Amino acid sequence: MNDSHPSYILYLDIDGVLRPYSKEGDTSYREHDELDQECIYRLDNFLSQNTDICICLCSTWRKIPDDTISLFEQWPDLFKYRLPIGFVTPDFSCIDYNRLSTHIQREVDSMADIADMYSKNRGLEIDQHWNSIKNIFPTLENYIILDDEPSSLFECQTLRNIKPDMYLGLQDEDIVNLNNPLTKLKEH
């Protein structure tokens, strides 16, 4: 693990971040399984310089065993960066409304129907994970998100999200952008 007492969690999406889509307009789920090694290299460097950050997988890759195996095969160093427990966010179907943050509960209450709520599935999964895991790791202070599609996040979470270009994947400018909110979080 990066740090036995992590201060921050990086919620990591894979498609569009470490596996760029092949061409504009193509967001097909399983066109390619190959991760972009340059994107991995950039994230590796960032994590090796920020040893108080651990990764939690929020990608759909967490739901398919072959994808999870492929992820670890293509990025063996992921083992040292992952949270030792609670390495993946819960599935939307397992969300417990009572374990959500108050501000997220308010947003959910204002939604018209379950379809609106489902459109924020990634945000709900991250919020419930954060509220559960921060009790296990008392050193946790905050989190950041690396996801190319912020539409599935709540407004309060988009401020913590770094959005790579889905056709390029994680670039140097995204790493700079990851450092910016992290620096602000560390100052508070």
Side-chain angles (χ1 to χ4, degrees):
M1 181 168 80
N2 223 19
D3 187 341
S4 60
H5 303 287
S7 299
Y8 305 92
I9 294 177
L10 172 62
Y11 288 99
L12 177 65
D13 182 28
I14 301 300
D15 292 319
V17 177
L18 298 181
R19 188 192 75 82
Y21 293 103
S22 60
K23 60 185 180 289
E24 192 162 341
D26 172 25
T27 56
S28 60
Y29 174 64
R30 301 304 326 145
E31 183 174 321
H32 302 293
D33 285 334
E34 294 298 314
L35 300 179
D36 185 303
Q37 292 302 310
E38 289 181 27
C39 295
I40 290 173
Y41 176 78
R42 287 182 187 99
L43 189 53
D44 247 353
N45 282 340
F46 172 78
L47 291 168
S48 67
Q49 294 171 16
N50 294 280
T51 58
D52 58 346
I53 298 175
C54 285
I55 288 179
C56 179
L57 200 58
C58 63
S59 172
T60 55
W61 284 52
R62 77 192 195 283
K63 298 179 182 182
I64 303 166
D66 286 347
D67 287 351
T68 306
I69 291 167
S70 175
L71 177 61
F72 279 105
E73 287 173 346
Q74 294 181 65
W75 187 21
D77 281 350
L78 179 55
F79 278 106
K80 70 182 178 185
Y81 300 130
R82 67 179 176 77
L83 275 167
I85 57 174
F87 168 64
V88 298
T89 54
D91 185 69
F92 177 77
S93 63
C94 300
I95 296 298
D96 179 354
Y97 178 83
N98 295 317
R99 291 183 141 198
L100 296 175
S101 301
T102 306
H103 55 282
I104 300 286
Q105 284 179 351
R106 276 191 227 114
E107 284 192 58
V108 168
D109 288 344
S110 70
M111 293 177 169
D113 56 28
I114 191 73
D116 286 345
M117 195 165 97
Y118 187 76
S119 72
K120 302 294 184 189
N121 64 331
R122 174 91 27 105
L124 289 166
E125 293 165 349
I126 288 172
D127 189 68
Q128 180 155 340
H129 181 271
W130 171 252
N131 288 323
S132 298
I133 204 76
K134 69 183 181 183
N135 295 322
I136 296 170
F137 295 100
T139 56
L140 282 172
E141 296 174 23
N142 226 314
Y143 66 89
I144 49 180
I145 304 167
L146 190 51
D147 192 337
D148 66 305
E149 291 191 53
S151 62
S152 64
L153 301 173
F154 287 90
E155 187 175 331
C156 61
Q157 294 169 321
T158 59
L159 302 173
R160 301 167 192 257
N161 184 53
I162 304 306
K163 180 189 176 300
D165 182 308
M166 68 174 55
Y167 304 108
L168 299 175
L170 189 65
Q171 299 295 301
D172 291 334
E173 66 192 47
D174 299 316
I175 296 298
V176 170
N177 291 335
L178 264 175
N179 276 310
N180 289 339
L182 185 60
T183 301
K184 288 178 186 172
L185 291 172
K186 287 182 177 183
E187 289 173 354
H188 289 101

